[in-house]
Amino acid sequence: MLEVSSLHKKQTIENLIENTLTVSFPNGEYEDITEENIASESMSLKQSICDESKLKFGGCIAAEINIDIVNSIDRTFTNDLVGKWISVKLTQRFPSGEKLLPSAKLFLGTSLLPGETVAAKEYYLFSGIIDSAKLDKNNRNQRHVVAYDALSMLYDIDATNKLFNLWKTYPNGYKIGELVVLCLNYNGKHMIQVEDNKEILDEVINQQSGLTVRDFPTYNQAWLENSDTITYGELLKNCCELLGVFGTIIPNASYGVFRYIELGKSTEKYDFYENLYAEEYDCSGYNDFVFINGYSSREKKTIEFETLWGDESNSYDLTKNTVCRQEDDGTGGSAIHNVQNLLNGKTGERFYNCSYTPLTTTLDGRPWVQIGDGIEIESYVTDSNGDFVYDNAVQPKKEKVKAYVLSRTLSGIKALTDSIEAKGE
């Protein structure tokens, strides 16, 4: 969640004056596109870290934004927008909470207070590259722009040969933290910055051995059994899954910054919703793990590892994670031990402490809320007839529904709404 003062939040939720949208071009190729050329309420931003039926960590899913832009007398847009980098910024204006002091020249008495000063807060909603800018079929002065963030490019670039050369250069393996940075800077241009998440990487990097992928394409039996290739996006997703986190691009005025997302680091509370459908059960965390270990001299085998967190066994399947399919280094299966040590540490706690109520809901759009945040929705309890249920003080009973922002669509401009979904079994 973005850091925003409680006053800003309160004033925005209760007394918002206006929202305005600006599309800018970090490379300076175009002038900013402002509300003059943006069709009313046409923005739609889709973000997700998990859209599967059950909670799956890793989730490096590219964000998608849709905006309709219209020609004006002094400006015409063409298809050459395709391929251009953009940053999309929302500016909110609201009463600042500070009184607008009267002027002796304009007002007769010092008791006249005409209102409050106006404050403004900017939020970057998206950083990415335009994929298409097609003419509207019914209005040739309007184009529908679709753009995706930098993660989308990583799924288009094959990483197999690069990895092969990497392992030859570093025969003792390559640390996961360094591998993540490699994925994000595959072209050497360092276009995508990586936030300093040393506290996460230190959980898995042992100064003596590290948690590494050893001789990945050469000796890993699980890899050799088929001719599959792997992209940088898939590799990045696998790394994040093993860390018990998600990966996303945090937008800014430039190309965005890659961030590890931990579930529920902060929680946003709502006491109003437009629609809410919540299950009557919670999805619980995991304490049993299954992954694959491959050997150069024998077939791969599936390893099952159970933690000491609880009696209930809720299994998490890591068998399709290529980073977990590690070759034994000849010292009694230390590759397995590294994975088990990882899951017993703080990383494992992230798998375990992830209970939530599956839900779909439509809420007021709050641009400081981000995917991975916790949400808490207060709703009224009703009986079978749909009538309120009252407590002993004859007050309507309320209950709190808690979940995470796993998938969301933020839409509109002036009237911003947030459709949130957290699937579960």
Side-chain angles (χ1 to χ4, degrees), residues 6 29 57 69 133 169 178 224 265 283 331 391 400 421:
S6 57
E29 297 166 288
F57 287 83
I69 57 175
T169 307
E178 296 169 352
L224 291 175
K265 291 287 283 185
C283 292
T331 59
D391 59 21
K400 294 178 180 178
E421 183 175 25

Side-chain angles (χ1 to χ4, degrees), residues 347-359:
T347 299
E349 292 177 7
R350 288 197 282 270
F351 285 92
Y352 181 62
N353 297 308
C354 59
S355 297
Y356 66 96
T357 302
L359 60 74

Side-chain angles (χ1 to χ4, degrees), residues 219-253:
Y219 298 107
N220 190 298
Q221 193 66 30
W223 179 266
L224 291 175
E225 284 183 354
N226 56 58
S227 59
D228 288 349
T229 57
I230 191 168
T231 65
Y232 283 101
E234 292 165 333
L235 186 60
L236 177 63
K237 185 175 182 178
N238 288 341
C239 290
C240 287
E241 183 188 18
L242 196 56
L243 296 174
V245 295
F246 302 87
T248 192
I249 298 292
I250 299 299
N252 56 19

Side-chain angles (χ1 to χ4, degrees), residues 222-376:
W223 179 266
L224 291 175
E225 284 183 354
N226 56 58
S227 59
D228 288 349
T229 57
I230 191 168
T231 65
Y232 283 101
E234 292 165 333
L235 186 60
L236 177 63
K237 185 175 182 178
N238 288 341
C239 290
C240 287
E241 183 188 18
L242 196 56
L243 296 174
V245 295
F246 302 87
T248 192
I249 298 292
I250 299 299
N252 56 19
S254 185
Y255 306 107
V257 179
F258 178 81
R259 176 184 293 174
Y260 297 102
I261 296 291
E262 297 180 68
L263 283 181
K265 291 287 283 185
S266 54
T267 298
E268 183 74 2
K269 297 181 179 181
Y270 299 82
D271 57 11
F272 173 81
Y273 54 88
E274 184 175 329
N275 295 299
L276 172 63
Y277 172 79
E279 297 285 1
E280 71 279 6
Y281 60 86
D282 284 349
C283 292
S284 58
Y286 299 92
N287 56 7
D288 183 71
F289 298 89
V290 180
F291 55 94
I292 285 177
N293 185 256
Y295 292 79
S296 57
S297 58
R298 60 176 178 170
E299 292 184 0
K300 65 177 182 180
K301 64 177 181 178
T302 299
I303 305 297
E304 188 166 342
F305 167 64
E306 188 169 338
T307 68
L308 302 176
W309 292 326
D311 297 329
E312 261 187 64
S313 180
N314 190 15
S315 183
Y316 188 89
D317 186 5
L318 284 161
T319 56
K320 293 182 179 180
N321 187 313
T322 55
V323 182
C324 293
R325 296 177 176 182
Q326 299 184 63
E327 184 263 338
D328 186 3
D329 63 1
T331 59
S334 64
I336 299 176
H337 298 158
N338 276 339
V339 175
Q340 292 181 357
N341 290 338
L342 170 69
L343 295 174
N344 267 328
K346 291 182 180 179
T347 299
E349 292 177 7
R350 288 197 282 270
F351 285 92
Y352 181 62
N353 297 308
C354 59
S355 297
Y356 66 96
T357 302
L359 60 74
T360 57
T361 183
T362 301
L363 306 167
D364 57 290
R366 303 179 185 182
W368 55 85
V369 175
Q370 298 180 308
I371 48 176
D373 287 345
I375 55 173
E376 182 179 296

